[in-house]
Amino acid sequence: MSLGENIKLARLRRKLTAEQVAERAGISRRTLVSIEQGAESVAIGSYVQVLVVLGLSDDITQVGKDDTLGRKLQDAKLMNTKGNS
């Protein structure tokens, strides 16, 4: 499930209309629809504004928390560096 889909589900669970969330976030309804569709052209600030309205702004701090691929790449580089000493 994409971020946009999760945002839409969160909005629906809170029984908020797209108009209500857009107005509270200070964005257009069309921008909110684009966010919920996962459009890459929407500024990250708009995503954050919507998360604030939905009470989910703390979730943004979880981005990259469990970066399994990044950790594997980091470990591989460390092992490669040790082998070249």
Side-chain angles (χ1 to χ4, degrees):
M1 190 167 283
S2 73
L3 175 60
E5 291 171 321
N6 288 341
I7 288 172
K8 183 174 184 175
L9 283 174
R11 175 177 64 79
L12 294 173
R13 286 184 191 119
R14 287 159 178 74
K15 303 206 182 302
L16 295 170
T17 66
E19 291 81 11
Q20 290 171 317
V21 172
E23 183 178 326
R24 293 175 189 178
I27 61 174
S28 70
R29 185 181 178 283
R30 181 69 208 137
T31 298
L32 179 62
V33 169
S34 294
I35 287 170
E36 291 181 350
Q37 292 174 346
E40 296 175 6
S41 60
V42 178
I44 189 70
S46 295
Y47 277 88
V48 172
Q49 288 171 271
V50 171
L51 292 173
V52 168
V53 168
L54 297 174
L56 298 172
S57 59
D58 287 345
D59 289 359
I60 200 90
T61 62
Q62 301 301 312
V63 174
K65 181 180 177 191
D66 294 319
D67 184 9
T68 306
L69 174 60
R71 289 174 198 254
K72 286 180 181 178
L73 291 170
Q74 180 182 29
D75 291 346
K77 180 160 177 58
L78 289 174
M79 287 188 302
N80 207 8
T81 302
K82 289 177 183 175
N84 291 335
S85 302

